[in-house]
Each structure stands twice: as structure tokens, then as C-alpha cells.
Amino acid sequence: LQRPVEVTSMDSSLLHAPSKSRTSRCAMVSIGVNAVLAVVGLTVAASSFGANAELASVATMPKTAFRASTVAATGLRKSQMPAQKFYGARRMMPMRAVESPAVTEKSVTIEEFLGNTEPKLQKSIMAMFSACKEIGYKIRTASCDKQACFNAFGDEQLAIDVLADNVIFENLKASGSVATASSEEEPTEVNMGGEGYSVAFDPLDGSSIIDTNFAVGTIYGIWPGSKLVGVKGTELKAAGMGVYGPRTTMTLAVDGIEGAHEFLLIDDMSSRHGQWVLSQSFMTVGEGKLFAPGNLRATKDNPGYEQLFNYWYDNQYQLRYTGGMVPDVNQILVKGKGIFANAASKSAKAKLRLLYEVAPIGYIMEKAGGASTNGEQSVLNLEVQQTEDRSQVAYGSKGEVARFEELVGTKYL
């Protein structure tokens, strides 16, 4: 028991000291195992920096190879190693880098993206991006209940949806390219003093759930000319959907540019702080078992909607519904599958307004490769006869939208 143990791979006087007890052998085993695990940890850490790197081969080292390397490091025989305490790297799970939209110093900004867009349309779009940047900040810093917001001293301020409304009107007026604007908060056409385009918007969709800290959003559509009554979604020149969640994003669809495109507001105090940069593009909405069913009260006297809901339930669709149309539609774009539905009935009337919500989001969804319907046709074909017009709606993959038309349709309205 007093025989010194030869250690060839470590230059340490401590390890060359005589091993006087079982405890000292265990200490050397521990040092050797820790040394190998340190190599494993460094290798795994290095491999994680590659976007598509596999786990380093040492991380999946077989038990026998691990023991052999430990023996080489400590000089101990296999029989001296405590097998019952083996916690080798073979227990580690393979790791892959998580794929996410990459934003770099070379990422395209919204200004660059719109470089070839008609100048007045570009100004109108940029006015909405500027407004949504300010709204995003106000939402993050507001202290709100269901009726109003308060400052740091507890003084009541304007409700956050009213603040958002004012911010958008101010930016549109300052652009000089907007002749008429109309808000869902006050559904009248307002003269903006400019010329070129007209903008309809919902300043804060989902404001009723903002006190719960759920994601909310802004929706807008941009039409050519100076009027908003009598227009159709097919005439839209651009539409956008801002999302105020853990990140602030804007998904934009523009006439003449294929697809819908998400821009991320950089908020990390880097050199790009405050910029909107392209983070991902949406070109396809495929089939998949994900559903967001709104206005479920309509199932009581809309047998078609009840049948559709039971179909989703019986076929084990994933329920993903927050109560806010913006985040619920946004997940369909990001996940690339699913359906959002808000059907109506005689007792549960349609709530969503064609001008401010239904048509702009329908434009984005169809540009992204999906479909929309009011139960019998694309919502883009519906003419806005008055600003208060409402419609039931479904957005999503073409197959899911077709099923909505087949089962729900318009026969129970």
C-alpha cells in the first residue's frame, strides 16, 4: 500500500507523492476524471459556436475508451477505478445549435429594403415603422390596468391604445405623403394634409389583454388615393403587422415584392440600436395541425363552426390561441402552418373590421403563400362600403381555409 504510483501524463509533485490510503487513490481518480471531463466540456463549448456543428466526438466517447483515457491520465489500473461511480460523457445527449433568424452587421435595413419603392409609398411605410418603434417603447414602459395607464407618480395617463392612436396620426401627418387616415379607435376618414396614399389602422390590436402582459400588435393597410370607403384589399399597396412581445417585430407585405418579410427592431444598445433589420421572410404556409379558434360562442348556433371545431379536436390539432389576432396570425407565419378562424353566427356577430384588420392581414397572409376567406371568397375581394364593415374570417394554409369554406361557409350567418 506504500508503493508510489507512477503518473506519466501529469507533471505535479502532488501526484507523485506516495499513495498512503484508499482515500488518496480516490482523490487521484477524481482528478483524472475531472481532467477528462474538462476536455469534454471545452470540446462541446467549442463545437457549439458553429451554427450546424455536431457534438465533438469525445462527448460520445464509449465507456471503455473513457476508462482507458482516465487510466492513461492517472496511472491507475482498471480494477482500481470505482465502476459504480462512473459518470462518463456517454450519458451526454447530442447537441445541435438552435436555428434562428440571423441578424448581423450586414443585415438589410428597412430603408435599404424599400430602396426601389415609389417615394411616397416609402414615406408612408416609414411613418408606420417610426410610429411602431415609439409604441413598442411605450408598451414596455407603461403601467396599465384595463382602463388606463399611470406614470411613475401614480398619475393617470391616456390609455395605451389612445397613446398609440395619437402616435400613428402624428407620424402619418408628418410624412407629407398621406392624404387620408382612419383609425379603428375613431372610424372616420381624417384629412392628413398630404397627398399620395390613405392609411387605415388598428393602433393596438389586443389592447384588452395588455394588462396580462400578452403580446399585442398594430395592423395597417396602405391604399393609393385619398379615400378609404369603396376600396378593396386587392388594391392595397402595402400592409403591415407590428408585434409587441419579447421582441418588437414588423411583418410587411408590399405590392411588387414577393412574399411577406419580418423586420426586427434592434434593442441591444449596439451600433445598430433602434434600426429595423430584415430577420426572416415568409413565402409558404403549409398544412399542419395548429389552430387558433376565435369567437367560439358562435358554435352554439353555427353548426358548421361546431363541426369544424370538433374536427380539429378529434384530429388532435394543437390549440394555440391567445385572444389577440396579431400574435395568433403571426405564429402561423412563423411556424409555416395552421389556421386562425373567427367565425360568426346570428347570436355571436362578427367583430373584426374589414378595413382596419381583416383586409390588411389577409393581404399579408396571401403574400406569404397562405389564404384567407370570409366563408366563400378571399377577404381581399370584399369592398369596404363603410368604415364600420365587419366580417368573419379565416387565415392560414390553403387546405385549412378550404375546409373552413366547406364546413362553415356563410350559410349560418
Side-chain angles (χ1 to χ4, degrees), residues 176-188:
S177 60
V178 177
T180 304
S182 185
S183 166
E184 187 186 36
E185 292 294 314
E186 188 177 343
T188 59

Side-chain angles (χ1 to χ4, degrees), residues 281-406:
S281 296
F282 308 120
M283 301 291 182
T284 304
V285 178
E287 305 303 324
K289 294 184 175 182
L290 185 152
F291 74 119
N295 200 25
L296 282 176
R297 286 172 293 186
T299 58
K300 291 296 184 182
D301 57 339
N302 186 328
Y305 196 26
E306 181 184 23
Q307 185 180 356
L308 181 58
F309 179 84
N310 289 335
Y311 174 88
W312 292 328
Y313 183 83
D314 293 341
N315 285 274
Q316 299 183 338
Y317 276 51
Q318 289 180 312
L319 174 63
R320 295 292 184 268
Y321 181 71
T322 68
M325 183 166 67
V326 166
D328 290 338
V329 170
N330 188 61
Q331 72 173 335
I332 294 173
L333 297 173
V334 173
K335 300 297 185 182
K337 63 180 181 179
I339 181 171
F340 170 89
N342 194 296
S345 70
K346 287 182 171 59
S347 66
K349 302 295 185 182
K351 293 182 177 181
L352 302 177
R353 290 178 171 87
L354 176 60
L355 179 63
Y356 307 103
E357 302 164 298
V358 174
I361 288 187
Y363 185 78
I364 294 169
M365 183 62 68
E366 293 194 18
K367 290 282 283 185
S372 71
T373 186
N374 71 335
E376 61 182 9
Q377 62 180 319
S378 166
V379 298
L380 301 185
N381 295 328
L382 304 178
E383 181 178 319
V384 177
Q385 297 183 4
Q386 53 184 343
T387 57
E388 289 276 9
D389 287 353
R390 302 170 190 242
S391 177
Q392 68 172 5
V393 69
Y395 304 115
S397 67
K398 294 176 181 177
E400 292 295 341
V401 167
R403 184 177 291 112
F404 182 93
E405 290 182 338
E406 176 187 354

Side-chain angles (χ1 to χ4, degrees), residues 32-154:
V33 171
N34 287 337
V36 175
L37 288 177
V39 173
V40 173
L42 288 172
T43 306
V44 172
S47 68
S48 67
F49 284 101
N52 297 310
E54 299 290 343
L55 185 68
S57 58
V58 68
T60 54
M61 187 182 295
K63 178 176 178 180
T64 54
F66 184 86
R67 288 187 183 280
S69 65
T70 306
V71 169
T74 63
L76 295 177
R77 296 187 300 275
K78 179 177 179 180
S79 60
Q80 294 173 305
M81 297 186 65
Q84 71 276 16
K85 293 185 178 181
F86 176 76
Y87 298 104
R90 68 187 180 91
R91 291 177 179 263
M92 298 180 67
M93 298 296 291
M95 298 169 62
R96 292 182 181 272
V98 176
E99 294 184 7
S100 61
V103 175
T104 69
E105 288 296 324
K106 296 182 180 180
S107 295
V108 175
T109 64
I110 181 58
E111 293 84 357
E112 293 168 337
F113 181 84
L114 296 174
N116 296 322
T117 305
E118 193 273 321
K120 289 186 177 180
L121 178 58
Q122 182 177 348
K123 287 182 180 180
S124 302
I125 294 172
M126 289 307 304
M128 289 304 305
F129 270 80
S130 296
C132 290
K133 180 192 298 187
E134 186 175 347
I135 293 168
Y137 173 76
K138 290 182 181 298
I139 287 174
R140 291 197 306 274
T141 57
S143 175
C144 302
D145 61 19
K146 293 180 180 179
Q147 284 79 37
C149 295
F150 304 87
N151 64 16
F153 302 100

Side-chain angles (χ1 to χ4, degrees), residues 25-36:
R25 284 200 189 95
C26 291
M28 286 187 289
V29 171
S30 177
I31 291 172
V33 171
N34 287 337
V36 175

